[in-house]
């Protein structure tokens, strides 16, 4: 009996097709690698994060220690110069980056968790639960956030990064809750969600397995915006003297530079690095967010 030669591509035709989830991930990675905004924003954020994490390991003194001559411009010994008190500005900058990332992660993370939880429950449950949560969200939304933060932080005996981030997170979540609620309302009426309800699955199980995965890209971008917003709010509080009592941050560096007339004295190396660090970090996160939007949204993709 003669063997019939296999035709080219016969084996491929019988191969199992690529799963839809894997195909979607590979497609997203394809466009992500080719998006300049995403690559530039991610590169800058990672470079600043690496500097904040690794930089302090190579400094043998604290950020507020008087280590050298006063008011010295940048040199090979003091890369960013010294303050009017002889403090190393480079040491303050790298420690300040670490504190800035910490308050952004904690403050933005708290706001993200509270906002998405309220938004998911309100959008999925609907009815009276939705009305009550929406009313509570609107009440918090119309509160003068900065005034509340100033009053709350000003009367605290101990002010630290964690406490500051906690107050920022607890006052920054309403807009995220409203946005997630609107998305959850539309997804809650889909057929697969109705089938999950009929099967008797718990509410959080349906939210985490059926609704949230279909909003993953939106949730990632929301966290990035909350992260950047927390950094800006913390910098504002630091600048008006309501930052950590015994710490260092980019905002506190700006506050000290203004308080001791660095601009009038021509000590540009004191106020430019922290200002540039905040601007670069928040700006790169915005660019990163725009790049993610172009990757996730097929209408904005550049082939």
């Amino acid at each position: 009996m003669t063997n019939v030669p296999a035709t080219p591509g016969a084996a491929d035709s019988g191969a199992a097709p690529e799963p839809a989830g894997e195909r979607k991930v590979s497609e997203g990675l394809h466009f992500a690698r080719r998006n300049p905004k995403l690559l530039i924003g991610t590169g800058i954020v990672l470079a600043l994060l690496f500097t904040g994490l690794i930089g302090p390991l190579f400094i043998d003194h604290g950020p507020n220690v008087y280590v050298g001559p006063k008011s010295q411009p940048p040199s090979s010994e003091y890369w960013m110069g010294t303050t009017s008190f002889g403090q190393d500005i480079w040491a303050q900058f790298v420690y300040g980056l670490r504190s800035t990332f910490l308050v952004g992660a904690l403050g933005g993370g708290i706001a993200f968790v509270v906002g998405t939880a309220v938004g998911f429950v309100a959008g999925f449950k609907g009815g009276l639960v939705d009305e009550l949560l929406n009313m509570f969200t609107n009440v918090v939304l119309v509160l003068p956030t900065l005034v509340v933060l100033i009053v709350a932080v000003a009367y605290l005996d101990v002010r630290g990064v964690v406490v500051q981030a906690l107050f920022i997170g607890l006052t920054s979540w309403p807009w995220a809750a409203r946005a997630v609620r609107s998305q959850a309302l539309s997804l809650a009426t889909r057929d697969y969600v109705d089938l999950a309800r009929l099967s008797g699955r718990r509410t959080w199980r349906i939210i985490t397995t059926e609704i949230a995965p279909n909003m993953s890209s939106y949730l990632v971008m929301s966290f990035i915006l909350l992260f950047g917003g927390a950094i800006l709010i913390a910098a504002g509080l630091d600048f008006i003297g309501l930052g950590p009592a015994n710490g260092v941050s980019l905002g506190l560096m700006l506050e000290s530079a203004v308080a001791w007339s660095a601009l009038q004295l021509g000590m540009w190396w004191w106020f430019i690095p922290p200002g540039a660090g905040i601007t670069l970090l928040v700006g790169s996160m915005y660019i990163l967010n725009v790049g993610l939007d172009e990757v996730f949204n097929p209408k904005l993709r550049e082939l």
Side-chain angles (χ1 to χ4, degrees), residues 61-67 85-88 91-92 95 245-248 256:
H61 53 267
N64 295 321
V65 176
Y66 309 123
V67 296
F85 306 98
Q87 298 161 316
D88 188 359
Q92 292 187 344
Y95 277 96
N246 297 312
V248 62
S256 297

Side-chain angles (χ1 to χ4, degrees), residues 74-92:
S75 62
S76 58
E77 185 176 2
Y78 303 106
W79 294 357
M80 290 186 176
T82 61
T83 68
S84 298
F85 306 98
Q87 298 161 316
D88 188 359
I89 296 178
W90 167 249
Q92 292 187 344

Side-chain angles (χ1 to χ4, degrees), residues 80 83 88-97 238-239 248-259 269-271 273-275:
M80 290 186 176
T83 68
D88 188 359
I89 296 178
W90 167 249
Q92 292 187 344
F93 181 75
V94 293
Y95 277 96
L97 274 177
D238 294 345
F239 188 74
V248 62
S249 68
L250 298 183
L252 285 174
M253 290 178 65
L254 284 174
E255 189 269 336
S256 297
V258 172
W269 56 88
W270 194 352
F271 59 85

Side-chain angles (χ1 to χ4, degrees), residues 15-286:
E18 185 180 5
E22 294 181 6
R23 182 168 64 250
K24 186 176 181 180
V25 172
S26 61
E27 181 182 358
L29 291 175
H30 169 79
F31 287 101
R33 288 194 296 264
R34 289 162 175 76
N35 189 285
K37 298 184 184 70
L38 179 60
L39 296 177
I40 292 173
T42 303
I44 295 175
V45 171
L46 290 179
L48 292 174
L49 177 61
F50 182 80
T51 301
L53 292 176
I54 305 300
L57 300 179
F58 297 93
I59 299 176
D60 57 0
H61 53 267
N64 295 321
V65 176
Y66 309 123
V67 296
K70 302 176 181 179
S71 306
Q72 291 298 304
S75 62
S76 58
E77 185 176 2
Y78 303 106
W79 294 357
M80 290 186 176
T82 61
T83 68
S84 298
F85 306 98
Q87 298 161 316
D88 188 359
I89 296 178
W90 167 249
Q92 292 187 344
F93 181 75
V94 293
Y95 277 96
L97 274 177
R98 178 181 289 186
S99 298
T100 299
F101 271 101
L102 180 59
V103 74
L106 290 177
I110 293 171
F112 177 78
V113 171
V114 176
T116 53
V118 172
F120 276 132
V121 173
F124 179 76
K125 285 291 189 181
L128 181 61
V129 174
D130 180 30
E131 292 180 6
L132 291 175
L133 290 176
N134 197 31
M135 181 180 66
F136 177 63
T137 301
N138 290 333
V139 170
V140 179
L141 190 62
V142 298
L143 290 176
T145 304
L146 186 58
V147 175
V148 172
L149 286 171
I150 290 174
V151 173
V153 175
Y155 283 94
L156 289 175
D157 293 331
V158 179
R159 297 198 303 268
V161 172
V162 176
V163 175
Q164 185 183 60
L166 179 63
F167 277 98
I168 292 174
L170 293 178
T171 55
S172 303
W173 60 266
W175 75 263
R178 290 173 63 89
V180 171
R181 170 185 172 273
S182 64
Q183 296 287 327
L185 278 173
S186 63
L187 292 175
T189 58
R190 301 294 174 87
D191 292 339
Y192 58 86
V193 177
D194 290 335
L195 290 173
R197 283 196 184 100
L198 293 174
S199 66
R201 297 168 68 181
R202 294 180 179 273
T203 298
W204 281 109
R205 183 69 174 172
I206 298 174
I207 290 175
T208 56
T209 60
E210 302 293 343
I211 297 179
N214 290 285
M215 296 172 52
S216 57
S217 59
Y218 185 82
L219 295 177
V220 169
M221 292 188 292
S222 296
F223 175 73
I224 292 174
L225 291 176
L226 289 170
F227 193 108
I231 290 174
L232 288 178
I233 295 174
L237 291 173
D238 294 345
F239 188 74
I240 60 178
L242 296 177
N246 297 312
V248 62
S249 68
L250 298 183
L252 285 174
M253 290 178 65
L254 284 174
E255 189 269 336
S256 297
V258 172
W260 297 101
S261 305
L263 180 62
Q264 290 79 2
L265 295 175
M267 298 175 61
W268 57 267
W269 56 88
W270 194 352
F271 59 85
I272 286 183
I278 294 172
T279 303
L280 192 61
L281 178 56
V282 177
S284 61
M285 296 190 75
Y286 172 76

